[in-house]
Amino acid sequence: MKILTILGARPQFIKAGTVSREIAKYNDIDEIIVHTGQHYDTNMSDIFFEEMKIPKPNYFLGIGGKTHGAMTGQMMEKIEEVALREKPDWVLVYGDTNSTLAGALVASKLHIKLAHIEAGLRSFNMKMPEEINRILTDRVSNILFCPTKTAVDNLKNEGFDSFDCKVVHSGDVMYDGALFYKKLAKKPPYKIEDNFILCTTHRAENTDNENRLKSIFEALNEIGEEREIVLPLHPRTKKIVQALNIDTQNLTIIEPVGYLEMVWLIDNCALVMTDSGGLQKEAYFFQKPCITLRDETEWVELVEHGFNILVGADREKIMETYKNHASLFTLHSSLNLYGNGDASKIIIEKLR
């Protein structure tokens, strides 16, 4: 069996690494990895692949930094060339990026079987490009690997029971990865106090909205007076914060860190505050309460079970939730919301 895996961003490589390590156990599976270049990441050097124990891509397409239409169209053209050359049995895509959609459309038009990992996720916000990507990818997939029961239910509600496809509740490959990488975690080279808060903010809905960004940072700065907040800040966000002259004097702002250092920060913090989808889940994997700086989340089960509280960008709500967070959150590890850490094994067994 030959699998063509399409990836475009560092988080996708980390998820795919878990599945690739499972694939490597079988002599009868050949995996060809395509990196579209959607997010050019200087952290993704040879050392990144070695440290993370992830196979290097066979193809690098170098398509990034363009409009959605130009990017998706050019990716389709190049992925099609690779698919025609490699003649895979399956195209495998992850999540909800433009790379995901481009890979899905190529597979469906060339009549190559398509598998979507992280299928069925919905924010129900059609203004998010990711929502469009995931809905369209799900619709043309032959097999949909859902990380949660909620994701399975979403597909059911959309009529997938009557489509010619298979829906599998596989569990979450990110949980597999968290268990694997916890053993490899590295402390970042910074002096960090005990009981610190880990914070990230990078989503366009916050960074591109001056009022939202100022409101979030006002709250963070106030919290930072009494508790260290460690904030790995993306250069783009940093530039916006400086341009708006936003006060960050009470925050420990550090450079973006590698994934193994991020795992250390999650594992050693007391509380997570973020607008990242992935970090919300990782907080749960490492039994940390999470305050989410967004108005909605795809991970509704975290909110329903009290692991995660949505506060949007409302300064008062952020402050109130922080002050009461010890009594607001419940952390029940026995729920297994994202499977048992064997999602990759289930996925490969189903594909075989």
Side-chain angles (χ1 to χ4, degrees), residues 40 54 67 101 107 113 116 125 148 194 254 265 301 318 343:
Y40 178 72
I54 296 170
T67 63
L101 179 60
K113 285 181 290 188
H116 185 198
N125 178 358
T148 62
D194 291 340
I254 63 174
L265 289 170
E301 57 284 334
I318 295 168

Side-chain angles (χ1 to χ4, degrees), residues 6-9 12 36-38 75 79 93 97-104:
I6 312 295
L7 305 168
Q12 289 181 319
T36 64
Q38 178 172 342
M75 283 176 188
I79 292 168
V93 295
T97 64
N98 289 336
S99 304
T100 309
L101 179 60

Side-chain angles (χ1 to χ4, degrees), residues 160-219:
F160 274 72
D161 283 352
S162 59
F163 299 159
D164 185 19
C165 62
K166 186 175 282 190
V167 175
V168 177
H169 183 187
S170 60
D172 197 325
V173 293
M174 273 188 76
Y175 184 39
D176 299 21
L179 298 174
F180 179 81
Y181 290 120
K182 186 173 180 177
K183 296 170 279 190
L184 303 174
K186 295 194 306 190
K187 186 180 186 299
Y190 301 100
K191 189 178 183 303
I192 297 171
E193 295 172 11
D194 291 340
N195 208 32
F196 69 93
I197 296 169
L198 173 62
C199 179
T200 70
T201 178
H202 71 274
R203 278 197 179 259
E205 66 197 71
N206 289 328
T207 59
D208 293 355
N209 184 315
E210 184 178 334
N211 292 334
R212 286 180 73 95
L213 197 63
K214 281 183 172 175
S215 180
I216 287 168
F217 271 86
E218 279 173 20

Side-chain angles (χ1 to χ4, degrees), residues 51-97:
E51 277 190 344
M52 301 296 291
K53 306 198 183 308
I54 296 170
K56 290 180 195 172
N58 303 85
Y59 293 89
F60 177 69
L61 306 183
I63 302 163
K66 303 175 191 297
T67 63
H68 286 291
M71 197 187 295
T72 309
Q74 288 177 35
M75 283 176 188
M76 284 183 68
E77 186 181 359
K78 296 287 185 187
I79 292 168
E80 185 178 63
E81 287 173 15
V82 175
L84 290 170
R85 186 180 307 132
E86 295 290 348
K87 297 180 172 54
D89 301 292
W90 285 94
V91 169
L92 189 58
V93 295
Y94 290 77
D96 52 25
T97 64

Side-chain angles (χ1 to χ4, degrees), residues 146-154 169 301 337:
C146 298
T148 62
K149 187 180 179 303
T150 307
V152 174
D153 291 342
N154 287 339
H169 183 187
E301 57 284 334
L337 294 177

Side-chain angles (χ1 to χ4, degrees), residues 1-6 16 19-34 55-59 82-83 85-92 94 112-113 348 351-352:
M1 179 167 71
K2 186 185 268 194
I3 296 172
L4 187 67
T5 297
I6 312 295
V19 177
S20 293
R21 285 189 293 275
E22 187 63 31
I23 288 172
K25 296 175 185 176
Y26 297 92
N27 296 323
D28 60 347
I29 307 179
D30 186 16
E31 184 183 31
I32 306 294
I33 300 173
V34 176
K56 290 180 195 172
N58 303 85
Y59 293 89
V82 175
R85 186 180 307 132
E86 295 290 348
K87 297 180 172 54
D89 301 292
W90 285 94
V91 169
L92 189 58
Y94 290 77
I112 302 167
K113 285 181 290 188
I348 297 308
L351 289 180
R352 294 180 89 232

